[in-house]
Amino acid sequence: MFFSKQSRHRILLIDPDKVEKGFYDELARTTKNYDPDLFFVGGSFSGSGNIHNVVDELKQNTAKPVILFPGDYAQLTPRADAVLFLSLLSGRNPEYLAGQQVKAAPVIRHMQLPVIPTAYLLVDGGSLTTVQYITQTLPIPADKIDLAIATALAGQYMGMQLVYLEAGSGAGRPVPLEMLQSVARSVQIPVIVGGGIRDLDLIETYFKAGANGVVIGTMFEKKGRP
Ligand code: 1GP
C-alpha cells in the first residue's frame, strides 16, 4: 500500500503547527519544481489541534494521498488515507518503541485508519534535532553503515513494511548517500529518506541509489513562522 521497491515518491511534509488556514494555494506554487505526489502531515512534538484542518484542506484541494507522520499519538485524524505506525528502532526509549504505539492503537482502530508499520531510524545529521531532543535518543552515527543496515534488517524481520531513514527536520546534513544505498540494497522492504535536504538535485541521486521516497519539509516552509 503506497510504497513498494519500485516506488519513487516525492513526498512533501507539512507540519500542522507551521501552516495556517488557506496555506494550500501558496504551497502548490512554491513546490512546483518539486511536484510532490504524496503528502505527509505531522510534527515532532505534541498533539496539534490543527491536524484535522490541514488534512481537510489537502483533501479538498488534491487527490494525492495524505499520510499521517505523527510525532505523538495525539496527532491522529480519520480524514487521512493512512498513518505511518512508527517505531523508533534506532533509539532505546521504550516510550517510542512501544508506549506511543499502545496509546495510539485503540484510536487508530476507532478511526479505521490503515497503518503502515514503519521502522523509523534516526541518523546523525550533524545537529541536535527536535526529534532527538523530544525522544531523548541517540541517532545512528552517519559513518556507521553496518549499524543502519542491522537496524533496518531488524525492522524487516519484525514485520515492518517500510524503513524511514531520517536525519531529522532541519538537520545540518542529510542522510549520507552511501548509507541510503547500502540499506536499500540490504532490505526487501521499501526505504524512504528525509531530513536536511536543501538541494533538489539530491532527490534524483537518492532515487538512483535506491530510495523509494524522498521527504522534504523545511525547504518549503514559509519563513518567519515559529
Ligand atoms: C523530517 O524528513 C523530514 O521528518 C523532512 O525534513 O524538514 O529537513 O526537510 P526537512
Side-chain angles (χ1 to χ4, degrees):
M1 184 180 55
F2 299 112
F3 296 99
S4 75
K5 278 302 230 187
Q6 280 71 48
S7 310
R8 281 183 165 207
H9 289 300
R10 290 164 179 263
I11 303 162
L12 180 61
L13 170 65
I14 299 175
D15 184 336
D17 291 324
K18 294 186 178 162
V19 293
E20 288 162 7
K21 197 171 170 22
F23 69 89
Y24 184 82
D25 286 346
E26 188 185 339
L27 193 73
R29 273 195 303 277
T30 53
T31 57
K32 246 188 213 140
N33 294 342
Y34 181 47
D35 193 21
D37 62 273
L38 206 154
F39 291 94
F40 280 178
V41 180
S44 296
F45 66 101
S46 81
S48 170
N50 202 24
I51 194 137
H52 309 281
N53 300 336
V54 170
V55 173
D56 272 353
E57 187 163 336
L58 287 171
K59 289 302 217 180
Q60 282 159 14
N61 284 284
T62 169
K64 296 169 184 175
V66 178
I67 297 177
L68 300 177
F69 170 45
D72 185 279
Y73 77 99
Q75 291 178 12
L76 295 167
T77 171
R79 295 155 185 170
D81 295 297
V83 56
L84 296 185
F85 199 68
L86 303 161
S87 193
L88 183 55
L89 288 193
S90 56
R92 299 294 177 268
N93 182 345
E95 177 64 11
Y96 293 94
L97 285 164
Q100 286 280 323
Q101 292 78 353
V102 170
K103 291 172 195 161
V107 185
I108 288 172
R109 182 173 67 175
H110 181 72
M111 293 180 173
Q112 299 187 320
L113 260 176
V115 296
I116 304 171
T118 303
Y120 190 47
L121 275 59
L122 269 185
V123 177
D124 186 18
S127 55
L128 180 66
T129 57
T130 306
V131 61
Q132 282 172 41
Y133 179 78
I134 293 291
T135 62
Q136 296 284 299
T137 61
L138 283 176
I140 295 171
D143 60 344
K144 304 291 184 199
I145 291 177
D146 51 348
L147 278 181
I149 292 173
T151 313
L153 268 177
Q156 177 182 314
Y157 298 151
M158 286 175 184
M160 309 276 185
Q161 293 169 11
L162 184 68
V163 173
Y164 190 164
L165 281 179
E166 164 80 275
S169 191
R173 287 188 310 258
V175 171
L177 193 65
E178 198 189 342
M179 180 181 278
L180 175 271
Q181 188 165 41
S182 304
V183 169
R185 280 183 185 156
S186 303
V187 294
Q188 289 165 312
I189 53 177
V191 178
I192 61 173
V193 63
I197 299 170
R198 294 176 186 84
D199 172 9
L200 290 178
D201 292 341
L202 187 55
I203 299 165
E204 266 313 305
T205 313
Y206 273 137
F207 283 149
K208 284 194 184 118
N212 304 113
V214 175
V215 188
I216 297 185
T218 305
M219 201 171 135
F220 296 114
E221 276 170 12
K222 200 170 169 184
K223 306 289 178 275
R225 291 271 164 73

